[in-house]
Amino acid sequence: MHPQSQKPSFSFAVESRLRDSTSPPAADFQGRTGTITTPHGDIKTPAFIAVGTKATVKAVLPESMKELGAQALLANAYHLFLQPGADILDEAGGLGKFMNWDGPTFTDSGGFQVMSLGAGFKKVINMDAVTSGGADDDVAAGKERLAHVDDDGVWFKSHLNGDRHRFTPEISMQIQHQLGADIMFAFDELTTLMNSRGYQEQSLERTRLWAERCVTEHDLLTAARSHRPYQALFGVIQGAQYEDLRRKACRDLGAMDFDGFGIGGALEKENLGTIVRWCSEELPEDKPRHLLGISEPDDLFTAIENGADTFDCVSPTRVARTSAFYTPDGRWNLSNARFKRDFGPLVDGCDCYACAHYSRAYIHHLFRAKEMVASTLVSIHNERFIVKLVDDARLAIEDGTFFDLKAEVLGRYYAPR
RNA sequence: GGCAGAUUACCCGAGUGGCCAAAGGGGGCUGACUGUAAAUCAGCUGGCAUCGCCUUCACUGGUUCGAAUCCAGUAUCUGCCA
């Protein structure tokens, strides 16, 4: 289509800069708005990218995701590789076509699964794992490790049937090219908060070398599959809580031919803004920055303020399936008895489909009766809530009212009750 | 009418002399969930209270140092025979 351009259909343009309406522009804020252009449409940033791990946003139709304003969806290479197989999605015409989503798509590389399966326990990924001390208990309990990392890649055992598989940076790229998402992530190793500084350094070097291999393989595959729409590749910044490691990772990967960057790793909540800021200061300004796995309102404002452009998170749908719904006054549990006779919407004034048509009492009943539609309705509401929160933040940056909005929203959301 | 068997906490159900306020489910109440091994996981569920104390295993009365558990009677229910 555009033979003169290597990447004809992917671009990112910064549009407005975060500023403070109430004080002199002393601070050099990193926050910004922009537009990511992909072969399947634009993403106005900051944007929340909904997660559909196995090529479906759990319990929600793509049509509903479109209606609630989701701009893009993110699926997972590890899960789709195991089931149904990347070749199936390739034959289907790619992830978006397969799942009937005509907007932009992302795939994650499977790096997260290396960590979560390799650790052999789940507590380690919690942000407070360091203080919970839960991991040692699980190690003592002898839980099986499903993944083992070496410098070349990872051996996995499928969590579905125990089959042994090999992932390397090259294989992850091959899989993600078959999956066909507009944006994919380099294969990285995600460390935990409990790893030693020495291991963090070793792992970071591994992730750097893997990033180089991803770029090389990606270039080969892009050339070999030139009949397909261009797929952008984002490098993933690790380095845990260490400033020097984060900055080094940004400089190393920033010099490589990536289209954008993911900021990954297990983050302690209180360090999130600082870490994003380090990355924003080091990474090329004209490339988008995706913060992986974040969606709590305070984290979103903090990350946007410090220069993150996009986010993805399982939280809106996961907590929805266990009956938690977002309100401007915090996250509440709809299965609580107090909602049994509450015939109002989940949130007054919410423009989502669930709030337009159904009451708290009704959805409370559906949860009690274990009816599937309960998950659907609350997932729609929660996705809408987070998508709109980020949309509002974008508009507020454009208007110069970001800090007013932040104070208002977070003051109410986290007010003691 | 005769014979046999049952009756345990909100429900189902284990327990057949002390380790029993009583297993396990369900239900109920609550909490957690941040690149999804998650329609999952955890706690509580007789009462009051800090260890502890008090009242419970259909009811009444016994046996025993000690009873949900053994004995007798009563009530209700379920089979089979008339």
Side-chain angles (χ1 to χ4, degrees), chain A residues 228-265:
Chain A
R228 298 276 193 174
Y230 178 74
Q231 296 177 257
L233 178 61
F234 284 24
V236 180
I237 306 302
Q238 293 291 344
Q241 68 272 40
Y242 300 106
E243 179 170 5
D244 59 330
L245 298 187
R246 286 283 178 182
R247 287 189 186 274
K248 177 180 187 305
C250 290
R251 286 193 296 270
D252 288 345
L253 300 213
M256 299 179 198
D257 188 20
F258 285 114
D259 299 294
F261 300 91
I263 300 171

Side-chain angles (χ1 to χ4, degrees), chain A residues 88-365:
Chain A
I88 302 292
L89 275 79
D90 197 14
E91 274 182 56
L95 171 65
K97 197 168 176 202
F98 188 50
M99 68 181 289
N100 189 33
W101 172 259
D102 61 11
T105 49
F106 293 56
T107 48
D108 190 17
S109 65
F112 179 82
Q113 282 66 33
V114 174
M115 186 281 295
S116 65
L117 300 172
F121 44 80
K122 296 179 190 171
K123 288 178 191 169
V124 74
I125 68 176
N126 293 346
M127 293 191 183
D128 60 352
V130 166
T131 53
S132 77
D136 290 341
D137 299 340
D138 282 354
V139 169
K143 295 200 178 167
E144 186 192 9
R145 298 166 68 95
L146 293 175
H148 294 271
V149 186
D150 56 62
D151 285 339
D152 181 56
V154 186
W155 284 109
F156 284 98
K157 269 188 179 176
S158 161
H159 70 281
L160 296 176
N161 62 10
D163 285 355
R164 198 164 128 96
H165 297 287
R166 181 70 174 167
F167 262 34
T168 63
E170 290 77 16
I171 292 170
S172 178
M173 286 297 99
Q174 289 155 16
I175 290 168
Q176 292 193 77
H177 270 265
Q178 285 192 300
L179 296 177
D182 298 306
I183 295 170
M184 33 191 194
F185 287 96
F187 189 60
D188 62 327
E189 184 187 10
L190 167 51
T191 56
T192 76
L193 293 168
M194 280 172 289
N195 292 121
S196 66
R197 161 82 194 201
Y199 187 83
Q200 301 287 5
E201 290 175 12
Q202 190 186 330
S203 171
L204 194 70
E205 175 63 6
R206 183 141 66 199
T207 291
R208 184 185 72 79
L209 293 168
W210 287 3
E212 285 182 341
R213 288 164 58 185
C214 282
V215 169
T216 301
E217 183 69 13
H218 173 60
D219 288 345
L220 290 173
L221 290 165
T222 300
R225 296 167 59 94
S226 57
H227 56 292
R228 298 276 193 174
Y230 178 74
Q231 296 177 257
L233 178 61
F234 284 24
V236 180
I237 306 302
Q238 293 291 344
Q241 68 272 40
Y242 300 106
E243 179 170 5
D244 59 330
L245 298 187
R246 286 283 178 182
R247 287 189 186 274
K248 177 180 187 305
C250 290
R251 286 193 296 270
D252 288 345
L253 300 213
M256 299 179 198
D257 188 20
F258 285 114
D259 299 294
F261 300 91
I263 300 171
L267 308 171
E268 281 181 298
K269 201 175 175 70
E270 59 268 32
N271 298 334
L272 189 146
T274 314
I275 290 171
V276 172
R277 185 178 184 83
W278 296 333
C279 295
S280 297
E281 287 169 357
E282 298 290 345
L283 288 169
E285 203 177 281
D286 59 348
K287 291 183 177 176
R289 308 188 276 250
H290 179 93
L291 180 60
L292 287 150
I294 293 297
S295 75
E296 286 304 301
D298 55 342
D299 296 333
L300 289 170
F301 275 100
T302 300
I304 290 168
E305 181 179 334
N306 287 289
D309 300 303
T310 53
F311 315 86
D312 69 278
C313 195
V314 304
S315 220
T317 55
R318 180 186 288 172
V319 304
R321 267 174 276 123
T322 57
S323 78
F325 67 107
Y326 292 102
T327 82
D329 299 298
R331 199 164 81 189
W332 294 351
N333 187 345
L334 186 58
S335 65
N336 285 359
R338 64 188 166 119
F339 296 116
K340 190 172 185 176
R341 296 168 192 281
D342 186 336
F343 298 100
L346 294 174
V347 169
D348 274 325
C350 175
D351 60 4
C352 86
Y353 182 83
C355 289
H357 299 284
Y358 301 97
S359 68
R360 289 173 173 181
Y362 176 65
I363 308 173
H364 168 93
H365 152 68

Side-chain angles (χ1 to χ4, degrees), chain A residues 360-407:
Chain A
R360 289 173 173 181
Y362 176 65
I363 308 173
H364 168 93
H365 152 68
L366 294 179
F367 271 113
R368 292 312 186 93
K370 303 193 193 313
E371 287 292 342
M372 295 182 284
V373 167
S375 297
T376 299
L377 292 172
V378 178
S379 294
I380 287 171
H381 171 78
N382 286 354
E383 290 285 6
R384 175 59 189 157
F385 186 92
I386 298 299
V387 162
K388 183 167 190 301
L389 191 72
V390 177
D391 285 352
D392 287 348
R394 178 175 70 246
L395 297 174
I397 291 173
E398 290 170 355
D399 292 350
T401 58
F402 176 84
F403 292 100
D404 300 329
L405 179 73
K406 178 185 175 186

